[in-house]
Amino acid sequence: EHNSYLLSNDDDKYFSYIFKFGTGFYKVNYYKDLFIKNIHNSLTRFKVYNDHENPRLDLFRTDKIIDHLNIIISSGINKINLLVLTLFNIIISFCIIIKIHHLLSNYFSIDNSMSRLINKGVRNNEFIPYYQNIYSFSTKKFIGAEVLCRWNHKGEILTPNYFIRKLESSDNINIVTFRLIEQAFKDLNCSNNQDYLLSFNFTVAMILDCLFVDKVINFIETTPNVKNHIIIELTESDNRFKQLDDIRKVMLKLKKHGVLLSIDDFGTGYSNLLTIQELPFDVMKIDRAFVSSEYAVSNSNMLDMMVKLGNSMNLLIVVEGVETEDELNRIKDLGVDFCQGFYYSKPSNSEIFKKSLSC
Ligand code: C2E
Ligand code: CA
Ligand code: CA
């Protein structure tokens, strides 16, 4: 029934003045010592608490300590305010849930529309080959090129990081890869360079797809100048490498038809020494992480060790991602056979590639 109180504390150290203000009650503790010394006007604590002893003060406890001040103020919230606050929280939470739901459904519809765009792109032949030359240290010229997929989407040339995982997750990758092989050998045929090699990226799933492998073999056997000019790269980071026996059988079959096999991104993936020992690879492509100064590992002697390992297994060794003269100097005397990177050649389209072959 009171709007204000003045209370004296038992130990007589301070007295409190409680008063109603707005929707809450405030309590000011006056420390007698400080009061007498005239050090007042400063706060020690801000307190909101549930005072069960006084039903009128339906307050909730929280402490906010303001240590450098010397007065305590207790304040609180009544039931109506609490209700309003709870309602407000419910509305805000509801809005957040709706927003998250909206974002998630947007994400999945983008994913779906990406699939639709890719399907359309495959139908319209929008996936095209780009070529990056591979330099030989012994002959001091380009001995071949890696064929890298690009998506010519509405006139914009997109690199694989935009689409390759999506493409690889469906049969589209087989269709696209086969077209890249056909197109690349057509482009190569305009030159009279008989020794040139073309290298293609395959996934382990593609290697394990008998129908697809037979189709590639049929192409090799029926098209002039393909046999002994084709390299298939399997990326080491593909965790399906576990099916060693099945992969080995297909690799041996491909080798009979003049295919060279290369382990891509060596040093980055799941494979262990057993994998390269068990599988009949011809080429080891060492990942750019081991040569590029961007990566800490390039300073270690891992590269040297990998080259020695490759040499001891009679593998041809390609170092990828050489961009600068410094990086080139680092690998020159290691016993590497080939080098692929922006320093020698950037991936280029069919026209530029054909010109470089002097077609
Ligand atoms: P990858 O097989 O390791 O191909 C080499 C990648 O390194 C290419 O990127 C190439 O442009 C890039 N590169 C080459 N030299 C340098 C260099 O000096 N510095 C730097 N920073 N990068 C360099 P790209 O063309 O974007 O391809 C990325 C990946 O996409 C490829 O890596 C490969 O895993 C995949 N990919 C490309 N084409 C195909 C394809 O036809 N089929 C499949 N399944 N995967 C493909
Ligand atoms: Ca590759
Ligand atoms: Ca690679």
Side-chain angles (χ1 to χ4, degrees):
E1 300 305 318
H2 297 281
N3 277 341
S4 62
Y5 308 80
L6 189 60
L7 306 170
S8 190
N9 196 296
D10 284 348
D11 61 12
D12 216 29
K13 279 197 179 142
Y14 66 89
F15 60 92
S16 309
Y17 173 58
I18 303 177
F19 61 94
K20 193 173 183 223
F21 183 77
T23 55
F25 284 83
Y26 292 79
K27 182 165 127 190
V28 183
N29 283 356
Y30 290 98
Y31 287 86
K32 286 182 180 169
D33 268 5
L34 302 172
F35 199 64
I36 289 158
K37 286 177 199 156
N38 208 12
I39 311 173
H40 52 279
N41 253 348
S42 42
L43 295 168
T44 45
R45 267 158 179 256
F46 173 74
K47 241 182 182 186
V48 180
Y49 68 100
N50 189 359
D51 188 344
H52 293 295
E53 280 156 34
N54 186 342
R56 284 204 50 191
L57 298 178
D58 198 5
L59 304 174
F60 291 83
R61 183 179 288 276
T62 122
D63 278 343
K64 185 171 180 191
I65 300 170
I66 311 168
D67 273 339
H68 61 290
L69 304 175
N70 298 318
I71 290 177
I72 298 173
I73 292 184
S74 300
S75 174
I77 183 167
N78 61 26
K79 273 182 181 158
I80 294 173
N81 281 2
L82 180 70
L83 199 72
V84 171
L85 205 69
T86 312
L87 271 175
F88 182 71
N89 277 341
I90 290 173
I91 292 167
I92 294 280
S93 313
F94 192 67
C95 292
I96 292 173
I97 290 169
I98 300 234
K99 185 74 192 161
I100 291 174
H101 179 261
H102 182 72
L103 287 174
L104 281 178
S105 45
N106 246 3
Y107 172 79
F108 285 111
S109 70
I110 287 172
D111 205 44
N112 272 341
S113 61
M114 181 73 173
S115 296
R116 277 198 299 276
L117 280 177
I118 286 186
N119 288 340
K120 196 169 157 210
V122 173
R123 281 199 303 279
N124 294 346
N125 240 336
E126 291 172 7
F127 292 90
I128 54 170
Y130 260 53
Y131 301 89
Q132 186 178 31
N133 290 307
I134 300 168
Y135 181 82
S136 158
F137 287 119
S138 58
T139 63
K140 297 201 168 23
K141 38 181 206 189
F142 293 127
I143 50 96
E146 177 172 3
V147 179
L148 296 160
C149 187
R150 295 290 181 267
W151 185 2
N152 184 354
H153 181 56
K154 297 181 180 163
E156 197 183 345
I157 303 295
L158 300 177
T159 52
N161 56 321
Y162 289 101
F163 60 83
I164 204 76
R165 292 290 158 253
K166 198 92 204 137
L167 209 59
E168 285 180 351
S169 66
S170 72
D171 264 3
N172 279 329
I173 191 67
N174 295 5
I175 302 171
V176 167
T177 306
F178 194 74
R179 283 199 200 134
L180 293 182
I181 297 174
E182 286 180 316
Q183 180 65 46
F185 278 102
K186 210 186 268 174
D187 286 350
L188 181 64
N189 257 347
C190 71
S191 92
N192 49 12
N193 192 340
Q194 296 295 316
D195 305 323
Y196 216 77
L197 299 165
L198 287 177
S199 194
F200 299 87
N201 291 287
F202 276 42
T203 63
V204 171
M206 286 158 75
I207 283 283
L208 295 174
D209 179 341
C210 302
L211 284 178
F212 180 69
V213 170
D214 286 344
K215 193 172 166 186
V216 172
I217 289 174
N218 184 48
F219 177 80
I220 293 169
E221 291 300 338
T222 55
T223 319
N225 302 331
V226 176
K227 203 169 186 170
N228 300 320
H229 292 96
I230 181 167
I231 306 177
I232 289 178
E233 298 185 11
L234 291 176
T235 175
E236 197 213 9
S237 55
D238 196 320
N239 55 7
R240 288 161 293 196
F241 250 119
K242 281 174 258 164
Q243 305 175 37
L244 278 184
D245 281 345
D246 299 335
I247 298 173
R248 191 191 311 105
K249 274 183 208 141
V250 185
M251 286 174 80
L252 290 172
K253 183 172 170 183
L254 284 162
K255 276 166 94 85
K256 275 195 202 140
H257 294 275
V259 176
L260 287 169
L261 291 151
S262 171
I263 180 151
D264 200 2
D265 304 333
F266 187 76
T268 63
Y270 296 85
S271 88
N272 47 40
L273 296 180
L274 190 71
T275 315
I276 47 162
Q277 205 190 355
E278 290 287 295
L279 297 176
F281 282 111
D282 307 287
V283 184
M284 174 196 273
K285 287 189 91 170
I286 299 178
D287 193 78
R288 73 180 270 266
F290 298 93
V291 64
S292 163
S293 7
E294 276 172 44
Y295 303 90
V297 71
S298 65
N299 291 325
S300 69
N301 58 356
M302 289 292 280
L303 180 66
D304 193 18
M305 280 156 58
M306 283 193 277
V307 174
K308 285 195 177 110
L309 176 72
N311 281 334
S312 73
M313 298 179 74
N314 287 327
L315 298 174
L316 291 167
I317 297 171
V318 185
V319 172
E320 289 191 280
V322 175
E323 288 183 0
T324 63
E325 197 152 358
D326 272 358
E327 290 169 2
L328 180 67
N329 289 335
R330 205 178 300 160
I331 62 164
K332 252 183 179 164
D333 303 320
L334 293 182
V336 172
D337 303 285
F338 308 113
C339 170
Q340 182 184 342
F342 294 166
Y343 181 80
Y344 283 112
S345 149
K346 288 206 163 151
S348 58
N349 63 22
S350 283
E351 277 71 53
I352 299 176
F353 176 63
K354 284 195 274 187
K355 262 188 213 149
S356 78
L357 294 172
S358 22
C359 290

